[in-house]
Amino acid sequence: MARGERRRRAVQAEGVRTAERAARGGSGRRDGRGGAPRSTAGGVAVAVVVLSLALGLSGRWVLAWHRARRAVTLHSAPPALPANSSSPAVAPGLFWGTYRPHVYFGMKTRSPKPLLTGLMWAQQGTTPGTPKLRHTCEQGDGLGPYGWEFHDGLSFGRQHIQDGALWLTTEFVKRPGGQHGGDWSWRVTVEPQASSTSALPLVSLFFYVVTDGKEVLLPEVEAKGQLKFISGHTSELGDFRFTLMPPTSPGDTAPKYGSYNVFWTSNPGLPLLTEMVKNSLNSWFQHRPPGASPERYLGLPGSLKWEDRGPSAQGQGQFLIQQVTLKVPFSVEFVFESGSAQAGGNQALPRLAGSLLTQTLESHAEAFRERFEKTFHLKEKGLSPGEQALGQAALSGLLGGIGYFYGQGLVLPDMGVEESEQKVDPALFPPVPLFTAVPSRSFFPRGFLWDEGFHQLVVQRWDPYLTREALGHWLGLLNADGWIGREQILGDEARARVPPEFLVQRAVHANPPTLLLPVAHMLEGGDPDDLAFLRKAFPRLHAWFSWLHQSQAGPVPLSYRWRGRDPALPTLLNPKTLPSGLDDYPRASHPSVAERHLDLRCWVALGARVLMRLAEYLGEAEVAAELGPLAASLEAAESLDELHWAQELGVFADFGNHTKAVQLKPRPPQGLVRVVGRPQPRLQYVDALGYVSLFPLLLRLLDPNSSRLGPLLDILADSRHLWSPFGLRSLAASSSFYGQRNSEHDPPYWRGAVWLNVNYLALGALHHYGQLKGPHQAQAAKLHSELRANVVGNVWRQYQSTGFLWEQYSDRDGRGMGCRPFHGWTSLVLLAMAEDY
């Protein structure tokens, strides 16, 4: 960035110098015929032209440089969270957590330079060669089901993992104390599946600790050469100790024989940990329990002498891993003890292990169950024990998927021209932290802006403090213009899991402002802590909304257009609109600046309404006066009808350069190619009945007496269009785009499948209109009851069948589709069960 800045300034300076020389009469060259200077008038004329060109070029360079600089400059508004809000001094209870959602089990600190811990495991001797090493959650690893049975988002969790014939249970619990986040303990239990008839396998567990180079790790070795414990020190954690306890049989305290190996080396980089361990499992060892036949296993050929690492390892981060190998079934405990917690009282605290750990885990599980029922009332509503367990798993999976990320994203600045004309390179955003839930641990283990608003609707009901932390971190990503990137890829671990073409975020691309949904809920709830947070967050919320309103403005007043549609490539049936969040939902067949997007206008209307109410509550009279007319205009029935009511279609719709006469046809050797027939595209309403058509209803922008409400309810309830036994389809079964691929390698995504986030908005809207007097009250109430039964019933059946929550569900047979587990917005099934909208 600095080199680019110097280059731009050099060009500007050269342009000014050229103009100055011209103004003085040229470069000093003489006319070839007489050696005399050119005429004064001619020289001045040339000087004026050259000066104008130079200043024009210089001005464009200055503007380009200014835009590029603002794109990667943090916003100047005061932060919504206190300084050092993630530190153990400010938030000790949240300092340690399961903030590595992409691994099956691991913990780290909320810190830019965290201390990380994790678990790997492998079944020995079940396949030829190196055993299958489990570590990171992968979509295609054949594992599952897996997920959190309980997770309170703070201090306790219990997870179950099925790995072939094995059943693993991973548990953790934290104990507060001291100045550094307190103590914590893990218990990992490995048992055979109840239905398994195969011989009990030999299993290796790998417990590891990773540092970045500044922390100190010192293994303490017993007389027999075995690792006794790991002591350490960091500036954030002070003194600490890790202890791997002797294994036992499940539910027993009697020790069980285990074979041990260690591996101690420099940190190769977090994305490379799995591969390093896999490549190091290259030596055979003997597992010799007393009185039993020995068995071979592959182990780590490690040494506990740091000098054996060689001079290249000195000063780097450390990676210390302990392998314990033994026969199923067994339990192993891994204990972290903080020096300041142990020194906090007159006598040392008992180690959180054995029977004390069992008691502590059970007390937390019971507290979770009681708090869950008190919060969501599922038992009181008559839901079955199985459905209650689904609700607990939905919440726990979401909370267990919260991560803490730190790093720099790549940003392509908005240069004020169409994307196809941009000629600039992406730049690094400043280093930033992000505390956020993730959509899917296996496939999307990072922050997504429009997903997070739906996530926090669930989290906010359970723990408002967690929601304030998440919202505050997202608002901390605001750049100088008020933009927030829609996908946050922060840190090496996150970056390693993203295809290169998706690493760069474009500063002209928006995303639905769903963070305003939990903001609206906080404002309505009136909790003093929430309102105090909203007062601090207001300048950033206002800046974010203002950027959305201005940057996505459409071709006519009160219209809006998503920037960032794909170009009309010959291989695409309908160019995608990724910034909308609805990806391949059909829009105008030929992208143009004349488009008007209905869903975006509705999101802006919601934003204007929420920000206006918040401004009024906070006494921000000037902002309320600014937003009041905008909110009123956007919600006015006449304006919405004028721009988006398609009389010929009988619904609200997008508008743009469109024709229905497009299809993909095979054309060797290119494969499937888009063919445009007749009629040719023209400016018209887009015939694509589906979720977009419902947005004035979904966001409750229609008056209960609106003449448009009835037709929308009728279409919603029609099985020929959107209604299915499993929830509302994303695209009508009557649409020519229904179930259609967008390219040869791009199957349908938002073209018929049932999505929980939009079905939840629909349930909330139907419940809303079912409570208000009007001609459609009874119909809305009836549809709410039926849709809730369909959605909840299908998610429950699929969970019973597969053990997973899914990204989307088939509108044809209800089966789960897409990635899994998907404890992001599919966890909204819990609020649907609770009828909490």
Side-chain angles (χ1 to χ4, degrees):
M1 190 66 193
R3 285 194 299 273
E5 180 179 332
R6 285 198 295 271
R7 185 171 65 249
R8 292 187 183 97
R9 286 180 174 172
V11 170
Q12 295 164 20
E14 182 58 33
V16 172
R17 284 195 294 270
T18 301
E20 288 174 345
R21 285 197 300 269
R24 288 195 301 267
S27 62
R29 290 176 298 176
R30 302 285 177 169
D31 185 280
R33 285 174 296 182
R38 295 176 184 269
S39 70
T40 303
V44 169
V46 171
V48 168
V49 171
V50 174
L51 180 61
S52 299
L53 289 171
L55 290 177
L57 288 170
S58 176
R60 285 196 291 274
W61 274 111
V62 169
L63 180 59
W65 176 81
H66 182 67
R67 285 180 180 271
R69 186 72 178 267
R70 289 181 65 83
V72 291
T73 299
L74 291 171
H75 202 279
S76 60
L81 296 173
N84 301 317
S85 64
S86 296
S87 70
V90 176
L94 285 178
F95 190 54
W96 276 104
T98 52
Y99 304 141
R100 306 180 65 205
H102 66 292
V103 300
Y104 288 112
F105 192 47
M107 290 174 65
K108 73 174 185 178
T109 54
R110 287 208 307 173
S111 170
K113 300 286 188 179
L115 186 66
L116 295 99
T117 60
L119 173 73
M120 304 180 193
W121 75 91
Q123 297 186 50
Q124 296 276 356
T126 55
T127 57
T130 303
K132 177 69 175 178
L133 190 65
R134 308 294 196 180
H135 181 211
T136 56
C137 303
E138 304 293 342
Q139 183 76 6
D141 62 3
L143 204 69
Y146 64 91
W148 294 98
E149 177 188 9
F150 305 124
H151 199 302
D152 66 3
L154 179 67
S155 59
F156 159 73
R158 178 183 295 161
Q159 177 183 220
H160 300 293
I161 304 170
Q162 181 179 332
D163 182 7
L166 296 183
W167 183 255
L168 285 78
T169 300
T170 65
E171 301 171 279
F172 81 94
V173 69
K174 292 156 56 178
R175 180 171 62 185
Q179 295 83 48
H180 303 96
D183 301 337
W184 53 257
S185 294
W186 294 358
R187 177 179 287 162
V188 180
T189 302
V190 185
E191 299 172 287
Q193 286 285 345
S195 58
S196 175
T197 58
S198 57
L200 297 179
L202 199 62
V203 172
S204 293
L205 300 183
F206 303 84
F207 297 85
Y208 67 82
V209 183
V210 186
T211 76
D212 73 345
K214 298 179 181 178
E215 298 88 349
V216 176
L217 292 181
L218 294 174
E220 296 289 337
V221 185
E222 294 180 336
K224 295 182 180 180
Q226 291 186 352
L227 184 64
K228 186 177 180 181
F229 57 80
I230 305 168
S231 62
H233 179 89
T234 75
S235 58
E236 288 185 312
L237 288 167
D239 295 327
F240 58 84
R241 175 182 291 182
F242 289 101
T243 306
L244 185 63
M245 306 299 293
T248 67
S249 294
D252 197 353
T253 57
K256 187 166 183 176
Y257 183 85
S259 297
Y260 293 87
N261 300 76
V262 296
F263 187 59
W264 193 18
T265 187
S266 54
N267 178 3
L270 297 179
L272 301 176
L273 296 183
T274 307
E275 202 62 28
M276 171 172 273
V277 174
K278 189 184 300 182
N279 292 337
S280 301
L281 286 172
N282 54 19
S283 298
W284 288 102
F285 294 83
Q286 292 281 345
H287 177 67
R288 296 175 174 273
S293 300
E295 292 185 64
R296 290 202 319 164
Y297 71 94
L298 280 168
L300 297 169
S303 166
L304 286 175
K305 295 180 179 179
W306 182 247
E307 56 269 23
D308 290 350
R309 308 285 79 76
S312 63
Q314 306 306 315
Q316 295 185 20
Q318 299 180 39
F319 177 38
L320 201 160
I321 185 163
Q322 303 175 75
Q323 176 185 357
V324 56
T325 303
L326 65 164
K327 275 284 192 180
V328 172
F330 62 85
S331 291
V332 180
E333 296 170 1
F334 189 54
V335 179
F336 172 85
E337 294 169 295
S338 167
S340 64
Q342 294 297 317
N346 295 325
Q347 60 184 24
L349 293 171
R351 176 170 285 165
L352 192 54
S355 59
L356 177 59
L357 177 57
T358 299
Q359 295 168 11
T360 307
L361 288 168
E362 286 308 314
S363 66
H364 276 77
E366 184 57 34
F368 178 93
R369 294 185 192 97
E370 292 178 1
R371 179 180 171 189
F372 182 86
E373 176 58 25
K374 184 178 180 181
T375 304
F376 299 106
H377 312 289
L378 299 192
K379 183 177 180 181
E380 178 184 322
K381 286 181 173 292
L383 279 87
S384 69
E387 290 170 313
Q388 295 172 48
L390 164 63
Q392 292 173 356
L395 172 67
S396 298
L398 179 63
L399 295 173
I402 291 176
Y404 183 85
F405 307 90
Y406 186 88
Q408 294 179 269
L410 282 170
V411 176
L412 191 67
D414 170 18
M415 305 307 291
V417 296
E418 289 300 309
E419 287 187 61
S420 59
E421 301 175 28
Q422 294 216 155
K423 307 297 182 185
V424 296
D425 294 326
L428 280 172
F429 203 69
V432 286
L434 180 60
F435 182 69
T436 182
V438 304
S440 170
R441 292 169 61 191
S442 65
F443 207 73
F444 299 114
R446 53 192 177 276
F448 286 79
L449 180 55
W450 98 292
D451 294 66
E452 188 64 5
F454 291 110
H455 299 162
Q456 293 306 322
L457 285 173
V458 180
V459 175
Q460 205 272 340
R461 269 73 166 182
W462 175 256
D463 191 338
Y465 177 67
L466 290 177
T467 294
R468 295 193 294 270
E469 282 287 304
L471 294 183
H473 274 84
W474 274 99
L475 292 173
L477 305 178
L478 211 67
N479 80 355
D481 294 319
W483 168 82
I484 300 175
R486 65 186 183 88
E487 185 173 348
Q488 295 298 322
I489 307 161
L490 305 176
D492 292 340
E493 287 188 288
R495 189 169 294 182
R497 296 178 67 102
V498 178
E501 62 268 27
F502 295 109
L503 286 174
V504 178
Q505 301 299 297
R506 289 160 172 79
V508 71
H509 291 187
N511 222 201
T514 58
L515 296 184
L516 296 175
L517 297 174
V519 165
H521 190 263
M522 295 163 79
L523 184 59
E524 293 167 4
D527 178 87
D529 291 334
D530 282 347
L531 297 176
F533 168 80
L534 291 178
R535 184 175 295 278
K536 291 181 180 179
F538 180 74
R540 289 177 172 268
L541 288 167
H542 182 224
W544 181 41
F545 170 77
S546 297
W547 175 86
L548 177 72
H549 163 57
Q550 295 164 13
S551 70
Q552 309 296 297
V556 297
L558 300 178
S559 72
Y560 297 88
R561 175 174 67 89
W562 293 112
R563 304 311 196 262
R565 284 199 69 189
D566 286 348
L569 299 176
T571 55
L572 299 181
L573 179 63
N574 188 272
K576 289 183 181 180
T577 312
L578 295 178
S580 73
L582 303 178
D583 294 20
D584 68 343
Y585 187 97
R587 307 283 180 166
S589 61
H590 291 65
S592 71
V593 296
E595 285 183 74
R596 307 196 295 258
H597 292 136
L598 171 63
D599 53 332
L600 178 53
R601 177 194 160 108
C602 293
W603 283 121
V604 175
L606 172 76
R609 178 208 296 167
V610 172
L611 267 295
M612 179 196 69
R613 291 176 180 173
L614 181 55
E616 289 176 341
Y617 170 79
L618 297 176
E620 297 282 351
E622 186 175 335
V623 178
E626 164 204 329
L627 293 177
L630 175 63
S633 297
L634 287 171
E635 294 193 42
E638 300 80 10
S639 170
L640 185 60
D641 276 5
E642 179 184 351
L643 295 179
H644 287 289
W645 181 257
Q647 188 64 44
E648 64 275 22
L649 304 176
V651 292
F652 292 105
D654 283 348
F655 182 87
N657 191 28
H658 182 65
T659 177
K660 291 175 61 177
V662 293
Q663 55 184 313
L664 292 176
K665 288 189 174 181
R667 181 177 294 173
Q670 298 101 312
L672 292 179
V673 174
R674 181 167 99 153
V675 176
V676 181
R678 294 185 179 281
Q680 288 290 299
R682 63 180 177 85
L683 290 177
Q684 61 178 317
Y685 288 106
V686 179
D687 184 3
L689 178 61
Y691 284 168
V692 165
S693 318
L694 299 179
F695 260 82
L697 166 69
L698 298 176
L699 299 186
R700 312 178 197 181
L701 301 177
L702 300 177
D703 185 273
N705 297 301
S706 168
S707 61
R708 307 306 187 199
L709 184 55
L712 286 186
L713 294 177
D714 291 341
I715 286 175
L716 178 152
D718 193 332
S719 61
R720 295 171 301 173
H721 299 307
L722 300 182
W723 191 269
S724 87
F726 317 107
L728 298 180
R729 298 183 177 98
S730 45
L731 190 66
S734 56
S735 171
S736 60
F737 287 96
Y738 172 74
Q740 294 296 307
R741 305 181 70 85
N742 202 49
S743 74
E744 187 169 0
H745 307 289
D746 201 358
Y749 201 42
W750 293 83
R751 295 185 178 176
V754 174
W755 293 80
L756 258 290
N757 61 331
V758 179
N759 273 269
Y760 175 77
L761 291 178
L763 285 168
L766 293 171
H767 184 266
H768 170 77
Y769 289 109
Q771 302 283 313
L772 299 177
K773 291 188 180 299
H776 311 291
Q777 182 179 11
Q779 183 184 12
K782 179 175 181 291
L783 288 174
H784 167 264
S785 178
E786 293 173 353
L787 180 61
R788 176 175 173 268
N790 286 352
V791 170
V792 172
N794 185 61
V795 173
W796 165 229
R797 287 190 298 273
Q798 294 303 310
Y799 183 73
Q800 280 183 301
S801 174
T802 68
F804 285 119
L805 295 185
W806 292 80
E807 182 182 13
Q808 52 180 202
Y809 295 86
S810 169
D811 64 304
R812 297 173 179 174
D813 57 17
R815 65 184 171 85
M817 303 192 305
C819 62
R820 50 74 180 141
F822 195 91
H823 282 269
W825 60 41
T826 302
S827 63
L828 287 165
V829 68
L830 169 58
L831 298 189
M833 288 192 284
E835 297 182 272
D836 186 350
Y837 310 111

